[in-house]
Amino acid sequence: MLSAALAVGFVVAADAAEIGRECLLSTKTTSLALALKDGSWNVLHYGDRVAGFSDAAALSWNRWTGGNYVQRAPSAYAVYGESAQRGYSFNKWGGLQATHADGCPTTVLVGVKAETVEDAPGAKHVALTMKDASYPFFVVQHFRALETCDVIETWVELRNEEDGAVRLGRMDSFAMGFPLLANAFSFQYVTGQWASEAQLRETPVERGQTVSIGSRSGVRDAWDNNASFMLSVGEAASETSGRVFGGVLCWSGSWGISVQRDQCDFVEVRAGADTSAGAYVLDSGKSIALPKFAFTWSSSGKGQISRNIHRWAREWQMPAGGKLRPVLLNSWEGSYFSFTEKVLHDMMDGVKEMGGELFVLDDGWFGTGKYARDDVHRDKVGLGDWVVNPEKLPNGLVGLSDEAKARGLKFGFWVEPEMVNTNSWLYEAHPDWVIRAKNRPVKVGRGGSQTVLDFSNPAVRENIYGQLDALYSKVPDLSYIKWDANADFYNIGSTYLDAQHQANLPFDYTVGLYDLLAKLRAKYPQVDIQACSSGGGHVDYGFLRYADEFWGSDDSDARERVFIQWGESQFYPACAIAAHVTDVPNHQTKRTTPLKYRFDVAMSARLGFELHPKNMDTNEVAFAKKCVADYKRIRPTVQQGDLYRLVSPYGSSHAALMYANEGATHAVVFLWGLVRGNWSDYVPPIRLDGICGEKTYRVREINVRDGVKHTLADGKRLSGESLKAMGLPVRLRGDYDSAVFELTAE
Ligand code: GLA
């Protein structure tokens, strides 16, 4: 709800008829200062907290301090066509390009209203309404500053009151101009592919360059690049030092992020939904809300950016981010499509014995008749028919849920609601419900028959909602859904949208996906969701508005996971990162790592299993039981604590990280050996950033196997001051050796 008057954070202009011209939004340690200049909102400052608006105004960049040749204004929302700093030109870049109803391709925004918006405690929310100087085309830019996590959320609403459609050639959510912050910039992001997602990369942004990342999958939006980045302002920041801007785009469809550094060191940062399929057509009288972008600032390195975003995710973005996640067993790698009820019951017995809390049935339980997804047809059939296969599961999902309940386990199952096989009853009935170009053949991916449903069409969403609703409601104790999505848009086109609106498909598809997720989440709030998309294809904060965790990769090899989880940890909290102990040799990489190593890696995130426990011997089960019991004790710190990345696996023979709870009275350190390049690659003492120098800690090694310890400090009571000064002395023996240490303040 918009409140009429301007409140805290705003200075109302002397002339009451005028709108507020000054906006200062501060969090615990950051400030964003905006001023209405020449009719539009300019950025005076974003970074460390300032004492007041007048300081920001006095100290801010202007044409006198530099950049006389800058052709752009430092706009809070840069648009194609706005007046340039020098007055006689216009911004040729910007995040929004709107072609107005009469064909005019430029937009010139003028501030018309600035209001505070009532919001939750801890959130300062302002809405800046702007209008094109010549057209009834409105832009409302929201900023929501969240005090405790130092994150500002922003999103933009566009409203077309022209007498015809406006075409949006670019429709970024964030497009902010920063003049002369530094003379060096460096862009960190993650990239990858199936089974090697989230590989960390960093590149300098040279003068005159634009660095960009994005995804045009339409569905698997986070497979190749993740919609998140850190920009070092000055030389590349480290974990603990340097000035860094960090941002995440909350969107599960195609997207793009770019950082443009021009010849005058003016930087424009843009992030938003992708329009490579063509301009989005916003009809007369219609509004559109663009995806949210969340950003934060640190002048003490990248680690703080991660901690800010993790806290934001847990406290503001995820549905139940403060809740502890259960230890589960997922059936996939343990049985793939080959299971009977007996196999699943045995898995339940196994995970129960090890202390697990939830059993999840993966793919292969649905489809009927010739489209049953059985051991013969496997992934070639059945998607779209969300009915249990009675041949495989005579007692249905409810039978399995009852069996789980009888063992004291919760129950969940796998679905792939965005998809259909051309070999399915659904496709037979509705061949026009898939995404396809009108005059081109339907293209298929996995299993030679999988393709994507057209979620821009409400009838398609209704059908899938109806099927899932019927399914969920039959399983009263349902507590978890693994939501998978194993295809991209193989071509673009919708039989639902008319010829003029075909290019709206990618955006409208994702809006449709959220509509379905929101309806299910509202009706079944107790049913947690895991976001999965061929592994890490749905690792994004748009999906995590509805989901509690994600499957970050189909590569479950512990060594690979050290890197993948390292990359994911840049922006995603441990409670959201599903990490499973699997069998060896690993099914993807064929690598064999010790069971202890697999536990030590999986326990640094949301621990689970993905194997058949019957393949474990009694000694392994005993070790697993102890690990799960210890995990439950350290779980609040791992899942809800602050992350400190201590030693990067990149370019090192080992890696280490630590979680500390609020107040640092409890900390858990994970140390993983990689391949030792040279016998002289000893592990230097681990510097424990994040513990408290004023406290005294008891150090205890956990997950000890066969009595082998990795620190002589085990059992000792040591001051935080000394531990910080000297580090924790450790020893790793051979490749893939690892250790976990618990520090408890006494
Ligand atoms: C995808 C997922 C896997 C598994 C299979 C099932 O590949 O990433 O975890 O669920 O589908 O078909």
Side-chain angles (χ1 to χ4, degrees), residues 194 330 332 337 362-363 373 379 414 416 446 482 484 486 532-536 551 553-554 610:
W194 179 77
N330 173 293
W332 184 239
F337 292 100
D362 209 282
D363 194 356
R373 205 158 160 106
D379 60 6
W414 179 100
E416 203 177 345
R446 191 183 183 194
K482 176 175 175 178
D484 209 341
N486 293 302
C532 175
S533 180
S534 307
W551 184 230
S553 180
D554 278 347
E610 200 165 317

Side-chain angles (χ1 to χ4, degrees), residues 663-678:
T665 58
H666 186 236
V668 187
V669 180
F670 293 87
L671 168 67
W672 309 293
L674 299 163
V675 175
R676 197 160 163 163
N678 182 290

Side-chain angles (χ1 to χ4, degrees), residues 687-707:
R687 319 291 304 202
L688 302 180
D689 309 323
I691 60 166
C692 173
E694 279 85 60
K695 291 191 166 59
T696 301
Y697 292 92
R698 179 76 64 188
V699 177
R700 195 159 79 92
E701 181 165 356
I702 62 171
N703 287 11
V704 176
R705 191 137 203 236
D706 302 326

Side-chain angles (χ1 to χ4, degrees), residues 290-358:
L290 303 181
K292 184 162 72 181
F293 179 76
F295 59 101
T296 187
W297 173 266
S298 158
S299 48
S300 53
K302 295 171 181 168
Q304 193 58 46
I305 293 281
S306 299
R307 288 188 288 280
N308 291 351
I309 293 286
H310 293 171
R311 187 175 286 269
W312 163 76
R314 292 192 305 261
E315 294 178 358
W316 296 92
Q317 183 68 3
M318 291 166 54
K323 219 173 79 179
L324 293 181
R325 312 285 317 136
V327 176
L328 62 81
L329 182 140
N330 173 293
S331 67
W332 184 239
E333 285 198 22
S335 66
Y336 295 103
F337 292 100
S338 314
F339 56 80
T340 58
E341 287 185 339
K342 165 86 171 66
V343 167
L344 303 178
H345 298 165
D346 289 349
M347 284 184 169
M348 290 182 194
D349 286 337
V351 69
K352 179 65 191 172
E353 189 186 353
M354 293 188 286
E357 297 155 319
L358 165 68

Side-chain angles (χ1 to χ4, degrees), residues 133 232 278 312 375 647 731:
S232 293
W312 163 76
D375 204 15
V647 183
R731 180 176 170 194

